[in-house]
Amino acid sequence: QVQLQQWGAGLLTPSETLSLTCAVSGGSFRGYYWSWIRQSPGKGLEWIGEIDHSGGTYYNPSLKSRVSISLEMSRTQFLLKVTSVTAADTAVYYCARRERDAAAGWYFALWGRGTLVSVSS
Amino acid sequence: EIVLTQSPGTLSLSPGEGATLSCRASQTVSSNYLAWYQQKPGQAPRLLIYGASTRATDIPDRFSGGGSGTDFTLSIIRLEPEDFAVYYCQQYGRSPYAFGQGTKLEIK
């Protein structure tokens, strides 16, 4: 059974870089999109961006200037980096897998458990 | 960018009753690529419905999704105690993939 396990630093100070990793166990990278989503009390659920198995990236315009997503194919992991964080980046961050249904398109089928990241001085 | 508005904000019902949750989009959702999630405190969202009406794996048939275009609904018949949670809709037809603000289903 495919699982997503995620980890990263949980406490940052303003201006630092947020870095999270999501590991895919029991499955392959190929044929899916790999996303990051965050949830904060102020903004609710927000899609951050995603990467496909060949390394193509797609970002939410609201965060594009500060976000990068990359793959580590050899370790079946994908990474999220958000630069110059502020208190507004405090949220639970989820990794997720999008898979394709012939009729229902590319839906978010599988989610990680989430990582709480707090930004405070 | 598509904005999703869910109503009501809070729904108070008793176990055994039925619930209808609404999700309205600011623009047509491409190919009705609309999903519903259930979230309980401290947990990740759990996929219930995708493609507006297809139940995800292991989701009981008490849950059903409907609608098209800009207006979608999630219906739950015969509410069980474990159904009381927050429910979100999401459109995944056009990037950025937006979520609604949620409907809290609480025990009356």
Side-chain angles (χ1 to χ4, degrees):
Chain A
Q1 186 177 0
V2 180
Q3 288 188 322
L4 303 180
Q5 294 178 295
Q6 53 181 113
W7 65 88
L11 182 60
L12 299 172
T13 56
S15 81
E16 287 190 314
T17 296
L18 179 157
S19 182
L20 296 175
T21 300
C22 184
V24 181
S25 61
S28 167
F29 264 150
R30 297 197 176 276
Y32 302 100
Y33 287 90
W34 303 93
S35 280
W36 289 97
I37 296 153
R38 69 183 184 180
Q39 184 174 29
S40 63
K43 293 198 73 175
L45 286 159
E46 181 179 32
W47 176 75
I48 299 169
E50 65 188 4
I51 190 165
D52 62 32
H53 70 267
S54 61
T57 53
Y58 313 86
Y59 299 124
N60 190 323
S62 67
L63 295 164
K64 187 174 183 177
S65 63
R66 297 192 296 124
V67 169
S68 66
I69 299 174
S70 59
L71 289 178
E72 286 195 14
M73 295 284 284
S74 61
R75 287 190 268 184
T76 59
Q77 296 175 357
F78 61 109
L79 287 69
L80 170 70
K81 291 189 186 297
V82 182
T83 61
S84 305
V85 297
T86 69
D89 295 307
T90 294
V92 176
Y93 287 75
Y94 296 100
C95 58
R97 185 181 82 174
R98 285 212 295 150
E99 60 187 66
R100 185 175 179 273
D101 177 276
W106 288 90
Y107 65 101
F108 291 76
L110 182 65
W111 292 57
R113 290 191 167 191
T115 300
L116 174 61
V117 177
S118 298
V119 181
S120 174
S121 55
Chain B
E1 179 175 337
I2 295 176
V3 176
L4 299 179
T5 302
Q6 293 186 239
S7 60
T10 303
L11 188 55
S12 300
L13 293 169
S14 300
E17 293 189 294
T20 300
L21 287 63
S22 174
C23 177
R24 176 163 289 178
S26 61
Q27 305 170 41
T28 297
V29 175
S30 174
S31 300
N32 296 325
Y33 289 164
L34 192 288
W36 288 93
Y37 300 87
Q38 177 193 71
Q39 188 177 34
K40 296 179 179 179
Q43 297 183 15
R46 174 195 181 198
L47 178 67
L48 299 175
I49 301 286
Y50 61 95
S53 61
T54 302
R55 269 189 302 277
T57 303
D58 295 330
I59 300 303
D61 58 9
R62 299 182 289 103
F63 292 87
S64 64
S68 64
T70 60
D71 290 294
F72 298 88
T73 57
L74 174 70
S75 298
I76 314 170
I77 59 173
R78 299 186 305 273
L79 284 165
E80 299 282 346
E82 62 267 26
D83 297 337
F84 292 91
V86 180
Y87 291 83
Y88 295 96
C89 60
Q90 180 209 22
Q91 70 81 19
Y92 58 92
R94 187 188 308 168
S95 176
Y97 308 118
F99 293 82
Q101 83 282 14
T103 290
K104 182 179 181 180
L105 179 56
E106 64 176 23
I107 298 178
K108 188 174 181 181

